[in-house]
Amino acid sequence: MTFVLLFLFPDHDGIPHVVSQVSMAEEWDIEKGLLEGRYKVVNERFRDIDIYAYFFPEEATLASTYIEYTKKYLELYEGLIGRYPYRRFSIVEGILPEGYSMPTFTLLGQDVVSLPFIVETSLGHEILHQWFGNLVYIDYKNGNWAEGITTYLSDHLYEEQKGKGWEYRKKILIDYKSYVAPEKETPLKDFFTEDRLYIESHWLRQGGNALSYA
């Protein structure tokens, strides 16, 4: 038996529409996975936050690494922004090769959780979305501002901490010049979630770059 998972986001007029439709086998459902013992669950407490890691048996050994990195990111962003807005945070392994951040948890794909850069950059990026995007919502009618500031305080910041911030900013400028044609230039207020294919090489980096030079 299968079911269809729909991802709904508002369009430019604020009307929900389907941006992704995925058919998944029922046995991969998170709740069923928990009931059948499909997930190996590890949890620790950091300050007043309960951290949980839900991994499939094949990647269960990664749980402790993800939890330790989560502690590091929570400490970093509580110092930069303020108290973490929820009582728990969970890292959940999923079957789609994507990363999503929802209130209190992030969903990371089975195909990518083993890649070193996920804990070094992507995990922190998704945790930061707990503040920008989940606590403070995005008004999609006026553009998705959250990706720019999230990139600036995650991907860019991590390179800056290594003394390579200038290299990151240079790459942003090269990518933007290489991939964004003059006729496709539009203001950040016109960036919406459905422009997903444009994010990595264009809007996400341009948003972070705008903050870098503000």
Side-chain angles (χ1 to χ4, degrees):
M1 179 179 181
T2 62
F3 65 92
V4 176
L5 177 64
L6 302 179
F7 294 91
L8 299 176
F9 292 96
D11 64 12
H12 296 196
D13 297 320
I15 302 173
H17 71 293
V18 177
V19 296
S20 182
Q21 178 172 312
V22 182
S23 294
M24 297 191 298
E26 184 181 20
E27 60 266 25
W28 286 103
D29 177 63
I30 292 177
E31 181 178 356
K32 188 174 178 63
L34 287 171
L35 292 174
E36 293 183 350
R38 175 60 177 157
Y39 280 112
K40 300 295 184 181
V41 183
V42 178
N43 73 284
E44 291 188 25
R45 190 168 179 83
F46 176 70
R47 296 176 177 170
D48 58 347
I49 305 166
D50 291 314
I51 303 174
Y52 288 83
Y54 297 84
F55 282 85
F56 299 138
E58 298 87 341
E59 290 80 36
T61 56
L62 297 173
S64 59
T65 298
Y66 271 82
I67 288 177
E68 289 306 311
Y69 269 89
T70 296
K71 293 177 183 177
K72 182 185 78 169
Y73 291 125
L74 289 173
E75 183 175 22
L76 171 64
Y77 292 125
E78 284 196 329
L80 284 175
I81 304 169
R83 185 175 180 179
Y84 177 70
Y86 306 106
R87 295 180 179 178
R88 64 179 289 165
F89 181 77
S90 299
I91 309 106
V92 182
E93 182 180 3
I95 63 171
L96 301 179
E98 307 240 17
Y100 295 100
S101 180
M102 281 72 72
T104 75
F105 79 101
T106 183
L107 181 65
L108 300 172
Q110 186 176 24
D111 291 341
V112 301
V113 291
S114 298
L115 301 175
F117 72 86
I118 297 297
V119 291
E120 294 172 358
T121 57
S122 303
L123 177 62
H125 183 108
E126 300 305 331
I127 289 175
L128 184 53
H129 270 307
Q130 297 298 305
W131 282 270
F132 302 128
N134 292 324
L135 174 65
V136 182
Y137 291 133
I138 301 165
D139 182 356
Y140 287 98
K141 291 184 294 184
N142 295 312
N144 183 355
W145 57 269
E147 287 301 335
I149 192 171
T150 300
T151 299
Y152 177 66
L153 290 176
S154 58
D155 307 68
H156 172 264
L157 176 60
Y158 307 150
E159 293 303 307
E160 189 71 39
Q161 290 173 332
K162 295 184 288 188
K164 297 181 178 180
W166 69 271
E167 294 181 12
Y168 183 86
R169 294 189 293 274
K170 179 180 178 180
K171 186 177 187 303
I172 290 172
L173 295 174
I174 293 173
D175 287 350
Y176 188 79
K177 192 71 174 177
S178 300
Y179 294 112
V180 180
E183 64 272 14
K184 290 187 177 181
E185 287 187 322
T186 54
L188 287 173
K189 68 181 180 63
D190 291 333
F191 165 48
F192 299 93
T193 304
E194 62 264 28
D195 300 311
R196 185 67 187 179
L197 295 178
Y198 224 50
I199 291 177
E200 272 302 315
S201 59
H202 311 90
W203 292 111
L204 190 150
R205 290 190 175 117
Q206 189 198 13
N209 201 47
L211 289 167
S212 297
Y213 295 101

